Amino acid sequence: MSRALKSLAIFAAIVVIFTISRHNLGTTTTTTTSTTSATTSTTTTTMKTTPVVTTCIGSDFTGIYVEGEGAAGTISASVTLTKATPGSCTLKGWPILSLQDTTGAVLSGTIINERPGDAPIQFPAAQANQAAGLLNLAHGDTASFSLAYSDVPTSSAACPSARTVSVQFAKNGSVATVTPSSPIAPCNHGTIWVSPFY
């Protein structure tokens, strides 16, 4: 090979190397940087506590006997009971009544739970003629019931004279005692009609 050809081959090799290296120099390299931000998550748990609600008992209440009206030999009245102790309780249904004379002796009698549509009694208070509903009572809240009785003797039997009325919310439960301003005397063997609590 002549010297001129060698020189030309070397020159061609340099051009090729230069072109390749120039191509590599023109390559753009992209670097992606990923930034992760940490997020702090706070979870708040709310615990709801439900107060314990118990059935009402008579000894938690004070009572007032509200004198009513008389028409055609039937006397109507009502009793309002106020919760005098802390906490809440529920009440539903009819009161259990007992009557006492001036010595505290329990008088015999018949208590009839009056229901909507029953005859012969319709109480003056509209709520007294409704079906029994659940009452939730807190300290200071009141519940009432209505009562009615005849003061006309139906036989030779005397009408018992009651000085106090004891109210129970459940059989064998504690009592709330109310005292009418004057004795009540239900005739017909001490029959008294009572409404549900309202």
Side-chain angles (χ1 to χ4, degrees):
M1 183 183 279
S2 70
R3 200 170 172 190
L5 284 176
K6 280 185 187 181
S7 293
L8 185 60
I10 292 173
F11 177 77
I14 290 173
V15 170
V16 170
I17 292 172
F18 177 76
T19 303
I20 293 173
S21 67
R22 187 165 181 230
H23 184 269
N24 285 340
L25 288 176
T27 301
T28 304
T29 304
T30 304
T31 304
T32 304
T33 305
S34 177
T35 305
T36 304
S37 64
T39 304
T40 304
S41 176
T42 305
T43 302
T44 304
T45 303
T46 304
M47 295 184 68
K48 186 176 180 183
T49 55
T50 304
V52 176
V53 180
T54 59
T55 302
C56 296
I57 57 174
S59 58
D60 286 340
F61 289 78
T62 58
I64 298 173
Y65 189 93
V66 181
E67 302 288 345
E69 307 168 350
T74 300
I75 307 296
S76 297
S78 64
V79 172
T80 299
L81 301 163
T82 302
K83 190 167 189 313
T85 56
S88 298
C89 66
T90 60
L91 183 60
K92 184 177 182 180
W94 287 260
I96 300 170
L97 303 184
S98 61
L99 308 179
Q100 295 82 33
D101 65 14
T102 54
T103 68
V106 176
L107 302 172
S108 63
T110 303
I111 308 299
I112 300 172
N113 293 340
E114 192 73 4
R115 290 172 169 80
D118 283 354
I121 300 298
Q122 284 294 304
F123 298 105
Q127 309 97 305
N129 299 303
Q130 304 299 316
L134 182 67
L135 304 177
N136 293 300
L137 303 172
H139 179 257
D141 289 345
T142 61
S144 299
F145 66 89
S146 293
L147 60 94
Y149 60 91
S150 172
D151 64 348
V152 177
T154 56
S155 64
S156 58
C159 302
S161 179
R163 189 65 192 101
T164 58
V165 179
S166 293
V167 183
Q168 292 175 297
F169 299 158
K171 191 173 181 181
N172 299 320
S174 61
V175 301
T177 301
V178 295
T179 305
S181 58
S182 58
I184 64 172
C187 296
N188 191 19
H189 307 288
T191 299
I192 299 178
W193 292 271
V194 295
S195 77
F197 289 106
Y198 56 87

